Amino acid sequence: MGLIALADCNNFYVSCERVFRPKLETTPLIVLSNQDGCVVSRSNEAKELGIKMGEPYFLIREFCERHKVVVFSSNFSLYRNFSKRVMDILSMHALEMEIYSIDEAFLEYPEDLDGKDLLKESFLLCEKVKRWTGIPISLGIAETKTLAKIAAGFAKKVGVFDLSGKELQNDILKQIPIGEVWGIGRRIAKTLMSMGIRTAFQFKEMDPSRVRAKLGVVGERIVWELRGLRCSELEESQPKKSIRVSRSFGEIIQKKEVLEEVLSTFISKGAERLRSEKNLATEITVFIQEGFEITCLSEKIAVPTSDTTYLLQIGKHILAKIFEQGKRYKKCGVVFSQLVQENEEIKDLFSPKNPKRKLLMETIDELNSRFGKNSLFFGAVGMRKKWKELLHTEMGFDHLPLVKTV
Ligand SMILES: [Mg+2]
């Protein structure tokens, strides 16, 4: 049986905000929940100041001002976007992966490491995620998910923590209060404490059948997991829920119109894939990159769609919001996410089920596959056409600005 690693993004929301503001690397920083209610993420500096998780902001506002704590409102579409990118990289390095939360995933390491060093490979993985996304992660490694959870707590400070092996486990488990074991809620912890069980080690040494009698099969499973015997396997990874089209340019692009053209090509390609897989997008994210700085913005689509015209319209709208004059862009891309199946979606004007629109899209795809890619394409792709003009003709089947290449 191979080992399990729990990959956990450090101070995730705070880390996402820092990617765009490297100057805040050592500043105390917190992120607040919706409506700026309470603290949901803290930088290490903010933790050191004694700011607690979940603390209502109005209680600590003055304290934050006094200590120059930088405060952010949460931006969940940004965090989801970062999460996806981190998970994509992690998934390349695991036999199997279970995404456990927005910032945590269990990875199944191969049993045979092919002569490679477990710790070294794990540190390299952390480094890679940090370099590619800007997000720092830590890895807790052990035989079971329950033990990997404990290992991850120790990994926070050192990057990677390998808890596999009985001797170390016994030492560590003696330090873990029973209430901190994964799956042990407050009520169960109370019951166990009343029986004199205070640490994870004591719990692990209990007779499993006695535990089952007291806490049921769920409790017994935790005992076995603490002993290094796997009782819960990784849950099957989800089918692909997003489509991403992006590329680095051969040269630097500074003109918005040129960027628009490239982006339009990506959107058209992505939309084609949506249709070929009978999917509709519910969210579209556009990103542009200058040096290591990536700017991205997501927008919800009111009615799920795979309609190129509609997606181009939203994509361009987003680009206009994030584009900055004078920047030297080297990469851009689009991600269609929260995909739903075509038959799940609701009837609407923009719906691809609208027979005319569906026929149009199918015709484009068919002609392109028959006469080569981009035999037919949309006006926005590669034509300096005013977007407004396109909007005017948007609804008319006969007047859609299809352009034939020469
Ligand atoms: Mg975390």
Side-chain angles (χ1 to χ4, degrees):
M1 191 59 84
L3 293 172
I4 291 177
L6 175 59
D8 188 0
C9 300
N10 304 340
N11 312 332
F12 182 53
Y13 302 158
V14 159
S15 298
C16 293
E17 299 292 349
R18 268 182 175 160
V19 171
F20 304 106
R21 303 166 183 90
K23 277 181 192 147
L24 297 181
E25 198 56 52
T26 54
T27 316
L29 214 153
I30 56 172
V31 173
L32 303 176
S33 60
N34 279 337
Q35 319 290 339
D36 293 348
C38 48
V39 179
V40 287
S41 182
R42 306 159 297 159
S43 72
N44 290 342
E45 300 75 17
K47 288 177 190 170
E48 274 160 31
L49 283 171
I51 296 174
K52 298 268 176 316
M53 194 66 167
E55 202 150 20
Y57 180 54
F58 73 90
L59 288 179
I60 55 165
R61 179 174 296 155
E62 266 175 48
F63 177 88
C64 288
E65 279 162 17
R66 214 169 337 117
H67 289 86
K68 301 204 165 31
V69 177
V70 178
V71 182
F72 283 99
S73 300
S74 43
N75 178 353
F76 284 104
S77 60
L78 174 77
Y79 309 151
R80 270 197 301 274
N81 197 278
F82 267 107
S83 173
K84 250 177 255 156
R85 300 172 32 174
V86 170
M87 299 306 172
D88 278 350
I89 299 171
L90 292 176
S91 69
M92 296 191 286
H93 293 268
L95 292 175
E96 258 182 79
M97 177 165 108
E98 176 189 341
I99 297 176
Y100 181 65
S101 70
I102 190 165
D103 73 329
E104 283 172 283
F106 289 103
L107 315 179
E108 169 95 59
Y109 272 3
E111 204 162 340
D112 180 11
L113 282 168
D114 216 8
K116 285 178 183 153
D117 183 66
L118 175 85
L119 277 181
K120 196 176 155 204
E121 291 303 309
S122 302
F123 273 113
L124 284 176
L125 178 54
C126 292
E127 249 178 64
K128 184 174 182 180
V129 171
K130 170 79 186 175
R131 200 154 16 96
W132 288 20
T133 66
I135 303 295
I137 66 161
S138 46
L139 289 169
I141 304 161
E143 289 88 347
T144 64
K145 281 160 89 172
T146 308
L147 288 170
K149 256 302 205 196
I150 292 172
F154 287 85
K156 280 262 137 357
K157 290 183 190 90
V158 289
V160 178
F161 191 84
D162 178 10
L163 182 60
S164 62
K166 282 286 155 293
E167 224 171 288
L168 177 65
Q169 266 164 32
N170 286 345
D171 284 344
I172 294 283
L173 292 186
K174 281 173 191 165
Q175 301 172 36
I176 305 292
I178 184 64
E180 282 178 23
V181 175
W182 193 38
I184 302 281
R186 199 169 297 175
R187 211 168 42 90
I188 298 180
K190 233 175 153 182
T191 311
L192 287 170
M193 300 241 274
S194 72
M195 295 161 67
I197 306 293
R198 296 179 182 283
T199 68
F201 179 75
Q202 286 175 305
F203 186 50
K204 169 190 136 163
E205 295 292 296
M206 279 181 80
D207 177 3
S209 57
R210 193 169 155 232
V211 174
R212 193 190 328 166
K214 267 275 174 203
L215 306 173
V217 70
V218 178
E220 186 193 355
R221 259 197 229 148
I222 301 174
V223 171
W224 288 115
E225 283 251 320
L226 287 172
R227 293 182 180 193
L229 210 104
R230 263 198 222 180
C231 295
S232 61
E233 288 299 324
L234 301 198
E235 267 151 49
E236 290 232 339
S237 36
Q238 306 257 316
K240 227 186 201 141
K241 287 264 167 61
S242 69
I243 288 178
R244 174 198 174 102
V245 189
S246 69
R247 198 150 308 145
S248 297
F249 319 133
E251 59 207 277
I252 299 289
I253 296 180
Q254 287 185 282
K255 284 208 177 95
K256 189 172 156 203
E257 302 76 58
V258 183
L259 211 52
E260 268 173 6
E261 279 183 13
V262 179
L263 183 68
S264 300
T265 314
F266 293 166
I267 291 176
S268 303
K269 268 189 193 157
E272 217 172 276
R273 246 189 74 195
L274 279 174
R275 295 192 292 271
S276 75
E277 291 167 9
K278 308 234 175 302
N279 275 324
L280 307 172
T282 314
E283 190 179 60
I284 171 170
T285 304
V286 171
F287 68 88
I288 45 182
Q289 184 175 353
E290 187 206 37
F292 285 108
E293 195 188 313
I294 299 165
T295 314
C296 65
L297 187 67
S298 306
E299 227 163 78
K300 285 254 171 286
I301 304 169
V303 181
T305 187
S306 59
D307 188 314
T308 306
T309 320
Y310 191 38
L311 291 165
L312 282 171
Q313 181 188 333
I314 308 171
K316 249 186 159 178
H317 176 72
I318 299 177
L319 179 67
K321 282 190 189 167
I322 56 178
F323 176 82
E324 280 179 68
Q325 206 68 54
K327 291 220 164 173
R328 299 162 53 79
Y329 294 106
K330 65 169 192 183
K331 188 178 182 177
C332 79
V334 66
V335 183
F336 297 134
S337 48
Q338 321 253 344
L339 306 188
V340 293
Q341 285 283 300
E342 245 177 40
N343 46 18
E344 289 171 30
E345 148 282 351
I346 330 139
K347 274 201 163 46
D348 183 85
L349 203 57
F350 287 104
S351 162
K353 276 193 196 151
N354 178 331
K356 275 187 169 182
R357 297 209 68 88
K358 196 167 159 104
L359 176 67
L360 170 66
M361 293 299 151
E362 280 170 6
T363 309
I364 293 171
D365 291 345
E366 207 207 306
L367 286 174
N368 277 338
S369 69
R370 203 185 309 164
F371 298 116
K373 281 248 170 286
N374 297 329
S375 298
L376 276 176
F377 57 93
F378 283 82
V381 182
M383 278 278 290
R384 305 246 189 273
K385 200 159 176 77
K386 283 256 161 29
W387 193 243
K388 268 186 187 157
E389 288 172 35
L390 189 61
L391 274 182
H392 278 307
T393 50
E394 215 266 337
M395 297 306 298
F397 173 65
D398 298 320
H399 307 294
L400 262 168
L402 290 173
V403 179
K404 194 164 173 21
T405 41
V406 277

